Amino acid sequence: MNDNIKVQQSKIRIIIIFSLISLIGLSIPLINYFYKYEVAECLRSSKFVNKKIDIDIPLIYEDGNNVVLSNLLDKYNLIYFGYSFCPDVCPIDLGRNIEAIELLGERSVGVLPIFITVDPERDTAERLNEYTDLFDYRLLGLTGTEDQIKVAKKNFMVFSAKNNSTTNYLVDHSTFSYLVNQSGQLLKYFKRKDTPQYITDQIECLIKNENNT
């Protein structure tokens, strides 16, 4: 009787061991699947992701020299369109972008912040030079002629319009921040509600994914 019990116990142990081995074998592809899903999630923000943008746009750098945007771009760039007379939205968004870039720097990920004005009438190169320095020494300011800025806005799908005709006018404008690589590929855009931590995590994820493909 005792021998039968021992045999049954041995069979149960063998069944348990094989069950555990099977579970481990099944869990590895599942873990890989969910890892890939998590990485892939950062690529699926909208239909515009991976859109190729024409970045051969002549503009005026904040030092007053004529430049072409494509010649300024680093490997990865976080581009924001706004204007220096903006009372609240632009300073908050630019400050958030700089905070995200600081966090990325702690993770050894380099991203260049760029500010392109939608108000070239008032945003001279000299003014932008002073304005960008208020946020961070790395922030590059770009202005241009009315026609040049129109081209830049069109290429990045940016909306802007004066809301009155007085001297101290405000400018209504879209507030996306664009993550663009050196070849002009739009990797992702960020909305106003996105936090510095979210932007940092998404950019790190995107760069890792791009480097692994």
Side-chain angles (χ1 to χ4, degrees):
M1 188 70 177
N2 288 337
D3 289 341
N4 288 335
I5 292 173
K6 288 180 179 179
V7 169
Q8 291 297 323
Q9 288 176 339
S10 296
K11 287 181 179 180
I12 291 171
R13 288 193 190 99
I14 291 171
I15 291 170
I16 291 172
I17 290 170
F18 275 104
S19 297
L20 288 172
I21 292 171
S22 298
L23 284 171
I24 291 169
L26 286 172
S27 65
I28 290 173
L30 282 172
I31 290 169
N32 288 336
Y33 170 80
F34 286 115
Y35 174 75
K36 288 178 182 177
Y37 176 84
E38 181 184 359
V39 171
E41 186 275 333
C42 68
L43 301 173
R44 302 174 317 183
S45 65
S46 80
K47 64 182 179 181
F48 296 119
V49 168
N50 289 327
K51 172 184 172 65
K52 189 71 167 61
I53 294 176
D54 182 2
I55 52 176
D56 290 324
I57 309 167
L59 292 166
I60 299 173
Y61 188 48
E62 60 181 33
D63 64 2
N65 289 318
N66 294 321
V67 294
V68 177
L69 179 60
S70 58
N71 293 334
L72 283 179
L73 296 185
D74 207 337
K75 190 171 184 181
Y76 299 101
N77 311 269
L78 192 58
I79 300 176
Y80 182 82
F81 285 77
Y83 66 113
S84 68
F85 289 86
C86 182
D88 45 22
V89 173
C90 299
I92 292 173
D93 290 352
L94 284 172
R96 176 209 58 186
N97 287 356
I98 295 301
E99 185 176 345
I101 284 171
E102 290 285 352
L103 291 171
L104 285 165
E106 294 174 5
R107 302 182 188 185
S108 300
V109 178
V111 176
L112 179 68
I114 296 176
F115 177 67
I116 302 177
T117 185
V118 294
D119 183 21
E121 183 178 336
R122 293 181 296 183
D123 278 340
T124 62
E126 182 180 5
R127 180 172 176 84
L128 284 186
N129 192 27
E130 295 174 356
Y131 184 73
T132 55
D133 284 348
L134 294 175
F135 293 93
D136 192 270
Y137 70 93
R138 291 164 293 190
L139 181 60
L140 306 185
L142 295 168
T143 185
T145 65
E146 290 284 351
D147 288 340
Q148 288 172 338
I149 295 300
K150 282 181 183 178
V151 171
K153 290 193 301 179
K154 181 180 178 181
N155 289 2
F156 281 85
M157 300 160 288
V158 170
F159 162 81
S160 75
K162 293 182 185 179
N163 67 6
N164 59 61
S165 57
T166 63
T167 303
N168 297 319
Y169 59 84
L170 298 176
V171 181
D172 297 324
H173 63 92
S174 52
T175 57
F176 297 116
S177 295
Y178 303 88
L179 180 67
V180 179
N181 65 17
Q182 201 168 32
S183 64
Q185 203 78 14
L186 173 59
L187 303 180
K188 189 157 188 151
Y189 68 83
F190 299 101
K191 302 176 183 177
R192 289 212 70 220
K193 66 178 183 179
D194 294 331
T195 65
Q197 189 64 58
Y198 173 80
I199 293 174
T200 299
D201 291 341
Q202 292 292 297
I203 290 177
E204 187 176 42
C205 168
L206 285 159
I207 291 175
K208 283 182 178 178
N209 182 83
E210 189 174 54
N211 291 336
N212 290 332
T213 54

